[in-house]
C-alpha cells in the first residue's frame, strides 16, 4: 500500500504528464470522457513504476509533446483521452 506522500507525488506526475501531452484530466472527468476512478487507477499505475525519477526528469526537460515516453504506464489512457475514447 502506498502512503499519502507517495500518492500525492505520483498524482502530480500524472497531472504533469497529462498536461505535457495535451490531455485535460479535469475536463475529461467533467465531460464524462473519464471517470474519477480512471484517474485514481492512473495514479496507482504511476506509483508502481520502477523509476519515477526518470519520468520527473523527462517532464522537467519536456515542453509540449504528442505522447508520453514509451515506458509510461498511463500511455494508453492518455492516448484514449486525446481521442475521446476513454471510459
Amino acid at each position: 500500500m502506498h502512503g499519502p506522500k507517495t500518492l500525492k507525488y505520483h498524482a502530480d506526475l500524472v497531472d504533469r504528464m497529462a498536461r505535457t501531452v495535451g490531455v485535460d484530466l479535469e475536463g475529461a472527468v467533467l465531460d464524462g470522457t473519464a471517470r474519477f476512478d480512471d484517474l485514481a487507477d492512473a495514479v496507482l499505475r504511476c506509483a508502481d513504476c520502477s523509476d519515477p525519477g526518470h519520468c520527473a526528469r523527462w517532464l522537467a526537460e519536456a515542453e509540449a509533446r504528442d505522447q508520453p515516453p514509451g515506458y509510461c504506464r498511463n500511455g494508453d489512457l492518455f492516448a484514449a483521452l486525446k481521442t475521446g475514447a476513454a471510459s
Side-chain angles (χ1 to χ4, degrees), residues 58-79:
W58 186 90
L59 286 165
E61 296 170 0
E63 290 184 21
R65 305 260 179 119
D66 288 334
Q67 59 189 17
Y71 58 80
C72 180
R73 294 173 178 244
N74 289 304
D76 290 343
L77 173 65
F78 296 139

Side-chain angles (χ1 to χ4, degrees), residues 11-36:
D12 180 63
L13 286 178
V14 170
D15 185 54
R16 289 172 53 206
M17 183 65 75
R19 281 186 279 129
T20 298
V21 300
V23 172
D24 177 3
L25 294 176
E26 183 179 349
V29 170
L30 291 174
D31 73 13
T33 306
R35 299 168 303 150
F36 181 77

Side-chain angles (χ1 to χ4, degrees), residues 36-50:
F36 181 77
D37 288 349
D38 295 329
L39 303 187
D41 290 344
V43 171
L44 291 175
R45 278 191 298 275
C46 182
D48 287 337
C49 178
S50 63

